[in-house]
Amino acid sequence: MRRYFSKLRSLLSRYPNEFGVKPESFAEVQSDPSQTSTRHTLTIQSIPDKFYFLLFGALSARLKATTGVRLEAVVVRAISGGIGLGWSADLKRSSWVSRLASDPWVRAYGRLLDGVGYRSASFSGPLTCLRDWARAHTLWRQLQSQDSERPLSLKIDGIEVGDLLVDSYLRFRPAPRFDARDPFVRRLLVQAVKDVRLGQRYFGRVKPRWYFTSYTSYLEHGIPVRAALQQGASVWSFGNIHVFGKQLSQEDPYASPNYARHRADFERLDNPEVRLAIAREKLEYRLGGGIDAATSYMRQSAYGAACAAVPNGMQGAVVVFLHDFYDSPHVYPDLVFDDFWRWVCFTIEVLRAAEIPFFLKPHPNQIALSGAALERLGQTYPDLQWVPAGVTNMQLADAGMACGVTVYGTVAHELAYLGVPTIGCARHPHHAFDFCRTARNRDEYADMLRSYDQPPASKAEMQRQALAFYYMHNLHGEGDARLLQQAFVEFWRACNTAQMTEASVLQAFQTFTTLPAFGRFITTLEQADTASTSGRTS
């Protein structure tokens, strides 16, 4: 009962009980605006996360000071309000609870915020609700008739929502595998139809100059992004710590950076051997059990102290590195499988049919629900061989594993440095390099699995490419851009560690926002938007 009273008190509070989530946090970021009125609007995503609250507030305050833009927020809380089924989850997703939960975050911006653009969980009239439900039901039937052997695709008024639908189902149902026949899919489609309608109407009417978002996956993030792009807004995502701010496009609406030129760009750098040596030092720190900036999201390292023995039969075997079944799979484009469950089942069946020895290794940072999914996988395939959690990837390489299999994991370049090739099946960060063979469809993927013992390059070349990738992915950048990205990571860490304090959060926030590079980013953002706008109108 005490827990419920605490929840109710937080819903009725003026501001969220989170470090730094209050109007005063932006006092030092704001300055006198150069103009008091403007035709332009800046729209930001409002989510209950202090990191993005502070980040978007700081960016908005600076843009208000330089351009005088009107600031509005899109409140995306709806399906994300609850996890699972039943009356409790439905209550948390309801319009009035969503309003109570999101209002403190809106109020915390104070006078910086000029208004709310729209709310995903807003009230709708009975006729509108009926039309949304009827359309969602028709779309649900269409989904069930699609070929399950191909990646799911579904458009609503020109906006692709198929990938967003799958990700939301896995996370909020929750379930390890997407099931188009599940009535919960229809529930998600009702929300998708509503979000497309609200997003197109808002971005089409207001025509904001910018839209800032955290992530681009799930219905709640992805639909506003795609609606804003469709209506011509300049959309920026800040959901990837490897780069501070990425301008999105209709061709590339993903928060993940574009890695296609990593290899070619490295080859054009001067002093490549010096850069490879720097990368070697950093990567070996990770392989020694350290959590570096690139893996700061992980609760524990895959290379921690070994506390279990490598199972027999590892020499010449394939190791399948599992992902968290409930995580968003569609963070990269060109995913061959809709979810990680279909991927691992397909992988198991191909390897078994070809009589290739293989082991499965669970993800080191999977959520608790994944334990049940692993049990289900073991029941489906009783003779599976598992790598104990205490075995490190370095042990596996030393024991003679022949190949690693992943969808898009960081393990690909880590294993390449250890002389082990990998196979992937999405446009992942490594796809420009040889050490990871990347399939574009299921037939290619099956062929690669069957030819697992054909290395794509020598061990020395794979190691060099792994270091080149690590450098470009984690260390490349000069001057302002590098300083800003490092401060961005430190700010993220301050907001997402168990040892956080209000002082540490605000100190990291102040350090980040007072960098000259932060102010120059605002200028660059304005110039990039002006240039792209001129290009569209010429």
Side-chain angles (χ1 to χ4, degrees):
M1 186 61 69
R2 185 176 301 173
R3 182 165 62 92
Y4 286 108
F5 276 120
S6 176
K7 288 282 187 183
L8 181 61
R9 191 163 53 249
S10 68
L11 290 175
L12 299 177
S13 63
R14 179 162 181 75
Y15 304 138
N17 185 25
E18 296 275 355
F19 296 144
V21 183
K22 52 190 176 184
E24 293 77 15
S25 296
F26 309 115
E28 296 184 13
V29 184
Q30 290 177 282
S31 58
D32 293 333
S34 58
Q35 55 189 94
T36 58
S37 63
T38 179
R39 294 183 295 109
H40 297 301
T41 297
L42 163 64
T43 304
I44 60 174
Q45 180 195 56
S46 175
I47 57 173
D49 183 298
K50 60 179 165 292
F51 173 72
Y52 287 107
F53 169 84
L54 290 167
L55 173 63
F56 292 163
L59 290 168
S60 301
R62 285 293 182 89
L63 279 168
K64 275 209 158 197
T66 57
T67 68
V69 295
R70 172 180 172 82
L71 178 64
E72 295 189 354
V74 168
V75 181
V76 298
R77 188 188 195 275
I79 290 295
S80 58
I83 294 178
L85 307 177
W87 69 268
S88 178
D90 286 342
L91 180 64
K92 292 174 183 176
R93 294 174 179 134
S94 65
S95 299
W96 66 276
V97 169
S98 293
R99 181 68 180 252
L100 286 174
S102 59
D103 272 358
W105 291 88
V106 172
R107 286 194 294 266
Y109 280 115
R111 291 190 296 176
L112 183 64
L113 186 68
D114 296 300
V116 172
Y118 72 91
R119 300 172 184 267
S120 289
S122 60
F123 296 96
S124 299
L127 288 179
T128 300
C129 289
L130 183 60
R131 284 194 296 267
D132 287 349
W133 188 94
R135 190 173 187 192
H137 185 77
T138 300
L139 293 169
W140 184 43
R141 292 300 185 192
Q142 291 176 10
L143 275 182
Q144 295 173 55
S145 65
Q146 288 195 21
D147 183 357
S148 61
E149 296 301 309
R150 296 185 178 183
L152 183 145
S153 176
L154 183 70
K155 287 189 176 182
I156 301 176
D157 294 339
I159 293 179
E160 177 62 54
V161 302
D163 56 331
L164 309 175
L165 179 71
V166 170
D167 290 4
S168 293
Y169 179 87
L170 301 178
R171 178 70 180 89
F172 299 113
R173 169 66 168 85
R177 174 181 178 176
F178 180 75
D179 181 3
R181 298 166 300 176
D182 189 338
F184 186 67
V185 173
R186 181 173 55 192
R187 172 71 179 86
L188 291 174
L189 284 170
V190 172
Q191 186 63 51
V193 168
K194 182 177 181 179
D195 282 341
V196 168
R197 172 169 50 79
L198 292 173
Q200 288 183 327
R201 184 173 65 188
Y202 171 76
F203 289 106
R205 173 178 57 84
V206 176
K207 299 288 185 182
R209 184 174 180 182
W210 297 284
Y211 177 59
F212 294 164
T213 184
S214 56
Y215 306 107
T216 58
S217 54
Y218 306 114
L219 295 171
E220 63 180 281
H221 307 299
I223 289 180
V225 162
R226 296 176 189 188
L229 288 170
Q230 188 186 60
Q231 299 300 323
S234 178
V235 182
W236 289 76
S237 168
F238 299 85
N240 192 294
I241 62 173
H242 294 292
V243 59
F244 177 64
K246 176 189 175 184
Q247 187 170 17
L248 308 181
S249 67
Q250 292 197 62
E251 296 74 30
D252 181 13
Y254 298 89
S256 54
N258 187 340
Y259 304 98
R261 298 198 54 80
H262 266 10
R263 185 176 182 180
D265 288 346
F266 181 82
E267 296 303 329
R268 284 200 293 269
L269 296 176
D270 58 354
N271 301 317
E273 298 306 317
V274 174
R275 299 175 194 272
L276 291 174
I278 296 171
R280 185 186 304 275
E281 178 185 354
K282 299 291 187 181
L283 182 53
E284 288 191 347
Y285 169 74
R286 183 198 298 178
L287 297 178
I291 301 291
D292 60 357
T295 55
S296 58
Y297 61 91
M298 298 183 71
R299 295 187 296 272
Q300 65 183 56
S301 170
Y303 297 90
C307 56
V310 177
N312 294 329
M314 187 58 63
Q315 179 69 40
V318 171
V319 177
V320 182
F321 292 86
L322 300 181
H323 299 261
D324 186 335
F325 290 104
Y326 302 91
D327 202 3
S328 167
H330 294 91
V331 292
Y332 300 108
D334 299 337
L335 200 67
V336 175
F337 299 89
D338 283 326
D339 53 54
F340 296 127
W341 181 270
R342 284 180 171 83
W343 161 73
V344 71
C345 290
F346 184 93
T347 303
I348 290 170
E349 289 167 10
V350 170
L351 293 173
R352 289 176 67 180
E355 298 183 347
I356 297 170
F358 69 95
F359 293 81
L360 303 182
K361 186 179 183 188
H363 194 279
N365 291 278
Q366 65 188 18
I367 64 173
L369 280 173
S370 287
L374 293 180
E375 286 184 17
R376 178 179 166 186
L377 192 63
Q379 292 168 0
T380 306
Y381 304 99
D383 58 344
L384 292 177
Q385 299 186 91
W386 297 87
V387 175
V391 174
T392 70
N393 293 343
M394 191 173 292
Q395 282 179 280
L396 297 176
D398 291 341
M401 64 172 286
C403 181
V405 177
T406 178
V407 177
Y408 49 59
T410 59
V411 71
H413 70 275
E414 296 165 353
L415 288 179
Y417 182 73
L418 300 172
V420 180
T422 48
I423 296 169
C425 51
R427 202 192 309 169
H428 52 77
H430 315 96
H431 75 272
F433 293 85
D434 297 331
F435 57 76
C436 183
R437 291 188 292 163
T438 304
R440 292 168 296 181
N441 54 57
R442 296 188 183 192
D443 289 340
E444 279 190 4
Y445 181 60
D447 288 342
M448 289 178 181
L449 291 175
R450 286 189 284 263
S451 60
Y452 75 98
D453 55 353
Q454 299 177 16
S458 68
K459 288 187 176 182
E461 177 59 21
M462 284 195 293
Q463 186 176 75
R464 186 183 188 280
Q465 288 188 25
L467 292 174
F469 168 82
Y470 187 93
Y471 183 86
M472 295 301 297
H473 194 55
N474 304 304
L475 304 174
H476 183 54
E478 304 293 339
D480 280 1
R482 185 72 187 141
L483 288 173
L484 189 62
Q485 195 271 335
Q486 289 174 334
F488 181 54
V489 171
E490 291 305 315
F491 174 39
W492 184 89
R493 281 178 169 170
C495 292
N496 290 277
T497 61
Q499 298 79 28
M500 77 179 79
T501 63
E502 184 164 22
S504 66
V505 169
L506 293 179
Q507 179 59 51
F509 175 63
Q510 184 179 22
T511 300
F512 171 62
T513 55
T514 55
L515 279 176
F518 183 81
R520 282 191 282 272
F521 174 81
I522 300 295
T523 302
T524 301
L525 188 152
E526 294 182 63
Q527 292 173 344
D529 178 67
T530 302
S532 63
T533 302
S534 299
R536 289 194 300 267
T537 56
S538 61

